[in-house]
Amino acid sequence: MIMPLTSTRISPDWPCQVKTPGSYDWERSAAKWLRELIPARYASYPALIRHPVLLARHAQLQVQQEVRVARTALQTARAELPMLGLPESVIEHTIKLYAAEVLQLQHIARSVRAVSEALAVRGGGR
């Protein structure tokens, strides 16, 4: 049975791995995607399995923390990496890596927020 589409608008940040809100099995696809964003040990907790909106909240917190870690790594790289004896080329490559990771994580954070909002609209708390 296909559920009618809701008024939830799909943002440009909507993850391609998650079906459109209101479509058949979309909450299951959202939960599967969200579980991939959190440490594996959390994925088996019954509360997070039964309540996708709770899983989304945890994923938001997880991604926010990862953004903070990547920003700290980026901000401190130029000062701290030379003390490790790394060549300048490795330091520059690492800084670019951290900068790209911050951008990627910010995109993921927006995607998690979009999915979280859609789950909350649909009563994903069960």
Side-chain angles (χ1 to χ4, degrees):
M1 175 167 128
I2 296 180
M3 298 173 57
L5 293 178
T6 65
S7 62
T8 304
R9 295 180 59 188
I10 301 297
S11 78
D13 295 313
W14 190 264
C16 62
Q17 301 91 331
V18 179
K19 295 179 180 182
T20 304
S23 65
Y24 174 75
D25 226 15
W26 87 269
E27 285 185 11
R28 186 182 313 244
S29 70
K32 181 177 186 254
W33 179 73
L34 290 165
R35 279 192 306 273
E36 293 172 1
L37 300 176
I38 62 174
R41 67 183 179 278
Y42 286 95
S44 63
Y45 290 166
L48 297 180
I49 292 170
R50 284 194 293 270
H51 305 284
V53 74
L54 182 58
L55 176 63
R57 178 186 178 275
H58 190 81
Q60 281 182 307
L61 294 170
Q62 183 71 38
V63 172
Q64 287 169 2
Q65 184 63 28
E66 290 182 33
V67 169
R68 284 191 289 275
V69 168
R71 280 186 182 148
T72 299
L74 177 60
Q75 292 165 352
T76 60
R78 196 159 307 281
E80 293 180 3
L81 294 182
M83 292 185 281
L84 298 175
L86 295 169
E88 184 63 26
S89 62
V90 172
I91 293 170
E92 290 304 316
H93 178 76
T94 303
I95 288 169
K96 289 177 184 175
L97 175 147
Y98 287 143
E101 188 65 15
V102 168
L103 292 175
Q104 178 65 20
L105 287 166
Q106 289 171 333
H107 173 74
I108 292 169
R110 291 189 303 272
S111 296
V112 172
R113 195 172 316 116
V115 171
S116 296
E117 290 170 1
L119 286 167
V121 166
R122 294 290 300 158
R126 288 184 207 158

